[in-house]
Amino acid sequence: NAGVMQNPRHLVRRRGQEARLRCSPMKGHSHVYWYRQLPEEGLKFMVYLQKENIIDESGMPKERFSAEFPKEGPSILRIQQVVRGDSAAYFCASSPPSGGARAYEQYFGPGTRLTVT
Amino acid sequence: AQSVTQLDSQVPVFEEAPVELRCNYSSSVSVYLFWYVQYPNQGLQLLLKYLSGSTLVESINGFEAEFNKSQTSFHLRKPSVHISDTAEYFCAVKEGGGADGLTFGKGTHLIIQP
C-alpha cells in the first residue's frame, strides 16, 4: 500500500517562474492538505481540499498561490511568479474519510523542497 | 485561534537515558493533540494522538504522552532512548469540530549521544 506520493522531491526555479507541486494521496483517502515548512519553523497549514472542492484555504497567501484536487489525478499546488521567500519545503498530507479509529490522522508525503534562485 | 509552543528547540540526551519533550497549547475550545516525528529529508510520521478517553496515550516504539487539560500540556516522554530516536519531533493540535488543518509547534530536535 503506497503512501502519500509527492513529486518532484526537489524543484529549482528562477524568480518569476511558476512552480507546480504534485501530491497523490494514499489509496482510499479523499482529503488532501498542503503545508509549508520554512527553515527552523514548524509546518504551517495552507489549504484543505476534497475532490473538486476547496474546503479551507485560510492559510493560503492571497496572491500567486492556488491549489486544486481534480476528480482524476493528483492534487496540484501552484505558485506563480515565485520569489525567494517562497523557498521552503512543501508537504502534502492525506486522511481517510471521517469517522472510525483513524479519525483525524493525517499521513504525510516526503515533501517537495522548492529553491528559488 | 489555537497555538502550540514547544519550549525546547534542541534536547541532547545520552543513550538509554529518559527524555521529556514539552508541548503546551492554547485554545478556547476542545482540542485533539498529536505528536509527529520527522527523520532527515523525510515527511512526518504520526507517533501518537489524543482524541478523548484515557489521558495517557502510547506509541508502539515506547513513547508516551499525557494530556493535561488544566496545564494545557501534552508532553512526550520515553523512559530509555536509542540512537535511532534521533529526529525532529513536532507537537500539533486540531480544534474539535473546527477546520481540519493542524497547527504545529516549531519542533524539538532530539539528539541522542552515545
Side-chain angles (χ1 to χ4, degrees):
Chain A
N1 185 16
V4 178
M5 311 277 283
Q6 287 189 251
N7 67 79
R9 293 292 305 275
H10 300 275
L11 182 62
V12 180
R13 286 287 178 266
R14 291 200 181 98
R15 278 179 296 171
Q17 291 184 320
E18 179 179 286
R20 280 185 178 238
L21 288 63
R22 295 175 185 77
C23 169
S24 296
M26 285 180 69
K27 187 176 180 181
H29 288 191
S30 55
H31 302 195
V32 166
Y33 312 80
W34 284 94
Y35 294 84
R36 177 165 62 177
Q37 184 179 33
L38 295 169
E40 308 301 323
E41 296 282 330
L43 278 72
K44 302 293 186 186
F45 168 73
M46 299 179 75
V47 62
Y48 162 43
L49 310 104
Q50 295 180 16
K51 287 280 188 183
E52 300 183 281
N53 280 306
I54 296 175
I55 308 301
D56 178 4
E57 56 181 348
S58 58
M60 286 279 270
K62 298 299 181 192
E63 298 178 348
R64 302 187 297 109
F65 285 72
S66 62
E68 62 176 8
F69 189 17
K71 186 176 180 180
E72 301 291 336
S75 175
I76 306 287
L77 178 67
R78 183 182 177 204
I79 311 172
Q80 296 177 291
Q81 300 172 357
V82 296
V83 300
R84 287 223 173 102
D86 297 333
S87 295
Y90 292 82
F91 289 94
C92 168
S94 70
S95 66
S98 301
R102 300 289 185 193
Y104 309 113
E105 289 186 10
Q106 294 187 15
Y107 296 82
F108 283 78
T112 294
R113 279 152 183 82
L114 172 65
T115 302
V116 179
T117 61
Chain B
Q2 69 268 35
S3 65
V4 178
T5 302
Q6 291 183 247
L7 295 168
D8 306 302
S9 59
Q10 284 192 51
V11 173
V13 181
F14 286 107
E15 195 173 13
E16 298 184 8
V19 70
E20 178 179 81
L21 307 183
R22 295 179 291 172
C23 172
N24 289 87
Y25 68 92
S26 66
S27 176
S28 58
V29 299
S30 63
V31 295
Y32 303 131
L33 295 154
F34 307 83
W35 275 99
Y36 282 84
V37 58
Q38 184 181 30
Y39 298 102
N41 297 316
Q42 294 186 27
L44 278 69
Q45 300 173 28
L46 180 65
L47 197 56
L48 44 75
K49 67 181 181 184
Y50 170 79
L51 302 183
S52 64
S54 173
T55 57
L56 185 66
V57 291
E58 299 176 350
S59 72
I60 58 174
N61 56 355
F63 283 94
E64 64 179 29
E66 185 160 18
F67 169 56
N68 188 318
K69 187 175 181 179
S70 63
Q71 297 187 5
T72 59
S73 68
F74 191 53
H75 301 330
L76 181 70
R77 297 188 292 261
K78 188 170 185 180
S80 176
V81 295
H82 303 283
I83 288 284
S84 59
D85 293 324
T86 297
E88 193 84 19
Y89 291 80
F90 292 96
C91 181
V93 63
K94 176 193 173 315
E95 285 188 345
D100 285 79
L102 297 174
T103 299
F104 283 86
K106 290 188 175 183
T108 297
H109 188 193
L110 179 60
I111 302 168
I112 309 301
Q113 301 167 329

